[in-house]
Amino acid sequence: MNPSELKTAELFYNAILNIENQQECADFFEDVCTSKELLSIAQRLMVAKMLKERRVYSEIVKVTGASTATVSRVKRMMSDGTGAVNNLLNKIRE
């Protein structure tokens, strides 16, 4: 990211870190995302959860409505990414 993009991203991250509860979180994302963007993010998290549970692609597609391409991208992110999604899924489960 260039410096301007980094500053913009940092503002976004800091805003998220200052959310105090689930309702405030829902309100924030409803304001800053379109319905389609929010659904896409939530869908990817559900795909990641199901992949972590070792569910098969056909079931994931059926349950989430995600395309097989999306499932593949999320699977690649789960294996090659930073591990943040996996860590958050572990925290949610605890």
Side-chain angles (χ1 to χ4, degrees):
M1 278 190 254
N2 69 43
S4 176
E5 292 169 334
L6 183 59
K7 187 173 183 176
T8 300
E10 287 175 351
L11 174 65
F12 182 69
Y13 301 149
N14 284 327
I16 291 169
L17 288 171
N18 282 283
I19 293 172
E20 294 184 12
N21 58 54
Q22 188 172 3
Q23 185 60 54
E24 189 175 331
C25 182
D27 292 345
F28 173 78
F29 279 100
E30 185 176 324
D31 285 351
V32 300
C33 296
T34 65
S35 297
K36 188 170 181 157
E37 290 168 333
L38 189 55
L39 177 60
S40 179
I41 293 167
Q43 183 185 66
R44 289 178 185 187
L45 185 61
M46 180 59 77
V47 168
K49 178 182 181 293
M50 293 181 77
L51 285 168
K52 188 173 173 60
E53 294 168 349
R54 302 194 185 279
R55 307 273 189 96
V56 296
Y57 272 42
S58 58
E59 181 184 5
I60 294 170
V61 167
K62 183 177 179 182
V63 170
T64 66
S67 67
T68 55
T70 295
V71 176
S72 294
R73 278 194 300 274
V74 173
K75 183 173 182 164
R76 192 169 36 256
M77 175 272 304
M78 296 283 289
S79 64
D80 300 338
T82 64
V85 171
N86 191 49
N87 291 339
L88 284 173
L89 288 171
N90 287 337
K91 287 180 182 181
I92 291 169
R93 193 173 44 180
E94 292 174 354

